[in-house]
Amino acid sequence: MANVSVYNMEGKEVGKMDLNDAVFGVEINEHLVHMAVVQTLANKRQGTQKAKTRSEVSGGGRKPWRQKGTGHARQGSIRAPQWKGGGVVFAPVPRDYSFKLNKKEKRAALKSVLTSRVQENKLIVVDELKFDEIKTKNFKNVMDNLKVEKAIVVLGEKDDNVFFSARNLPKVSTAIADNINVYDILKGDTLVLTRDAVAKIEEVYA
């Protein structure tokens, strides 16, 4: 069972905490982690690109010249792909890029990436994150105290003061424990969890 330090908002160690091995100490499955990242990116794609094929481009209803005797190569339409203004050969059409990942696979991928953060010493547990007002400077001070520059900060419950204080920091993102995903954790580099968030994650995924 992994044992990690718990810090306060001033960056001082205030205790220790045991992490559940069923969530933070599993065997890492790199294939499932990769699939989870691909799924997240695929689901974000709009798939609205469109280009016209030769059957959709306007014009070109008649044969530009007779088949034989002109000295030109034979042509059937001025809107064939080799002509300027012609259609696209294999034109992209609107499509849905999303695909499904089984629930067990998604859970295993998330546990794998949480475990990797523990093993790489990129997981920091904070006693609590509370602000009296929305102020980016306050959040930046907490990150500096924890010696963290690029991170995803996960809370147990949504707190607007924390979320809005962090949104102007380009290398910091925030989430609640119910909505974390593999891609965001990997992109965030360091994972900062509150005590409440750890408890909720263990409750849901253990």
Side-chain angles (χ1 to χ4, degrees):
M1 185 173 284
N3 186 271
V4 295
S5 299
V6 179
Y7 299 91
N8 61 18
M9 287 169 47
E10 285 73 45
K12 296 175 182 176
E13 186 175 331
V14 293
K16 295 282 187 181
M17 185 178 192
D18 290 328
L19 299 177
N20 193 332
D21 281 346
V23 179
F24 295 94
V26 302
E27 184 179 347
I28 296 174
N29 189 322
E30 291 184 4
H31 173 66
L32 287 182
V33 171
H34 175 258
M35 288 300 295
V37 171
V38 171
Q39 188 210 22
T40 301
L41 295 176
N43 291 353
K44 286 183 177 182
R45 294 185 71 173
Q46 285 187 309
T48 54
Q49 70 274 43
K50 176 75 173 77
K52 291 182 178 180
T53 63
R54 62 183 295 170
S55 67
E56 296 169 317
V57 177
S58 63
R62 70 180 179 87
K63 194 171 171 67
W65 51 75
R66 69 178 191 266
Q67 181 82 344
K68 291 176 171 295
T70 63
H72 294 297
R74 57 194 175 189
Q75 299 291 333
S77 167
I78 62 169
R79 289 296 176 252
Q82 72 271 21
W83 284 70
K84 181 178 181 296
V88 180
V89 182
F90 297 113
V93 294
R95 56 171 286 196
D96 181 12
Y97 288 93
S98 65
F99 65 92
K100 189 181 176 219
L101 209 60
N102 291 336
K103 191 174 179 181
K104 284 185 177 180
E105 291 176 324
K106 290 172 81 170
R107 290 170 68 93
L110 186 63
K111 289 179 183 181
S112 292
V113 79
L114 289 171
T115 300
S116 73
R117 284 292 171 260
V118 174
Q119 293 180 356
E120 294 165 9
N121 293 319
K122 289 186 176 180
L123 185 143
I124 297 174
V125 178
V126 181
D127 193 26
E128 66 172 0
L129 277 176
K130 293 284 184 185
F131 297 122
D132 296 328
E133 58 181 340
I134 297 171
K135 204 168 183 68
T136 304
K137 186 177 180 181
N138 292 344
F139 199 99
K140 180 71 166 59
N141 289 337
V142 174
M143 292 294 100
D144 291 342
N145 292 338
L146 296 173
K147 297 180 175 60
V148 173
E149 185 178 357
K150 186 177 181 182
I152 175 170
V153 179
V154 182
L155 308 178
E157 301 288 343
K158 186 172 182 181
D159 186 326
D160 285 342
N161 284 357
V162 176
F163 275 53
F164 292 144
S165 295
R167 66 179 174 180
N168 278 339
L169 297 175
K171 294 184 179 180
V172 175
S173 60
T174 52
I176 56 175
D178 293 337
N179 294 335
I180 55 174
N181 63 64
V182 172
Y183 176 72
D184 288 340
I185 293 173
L186 290 175
K187 188 179 175 185
D189 192 41
T190 302
L191 176 60
V192 179
L193 300 172
T194 62
R195 269 185 188 271
D196 292 345
V198 173
K200 184 163 279 191
I201 290 170
E202 290 182 344
E203 180 185 339
V204 173
Y205 294 101

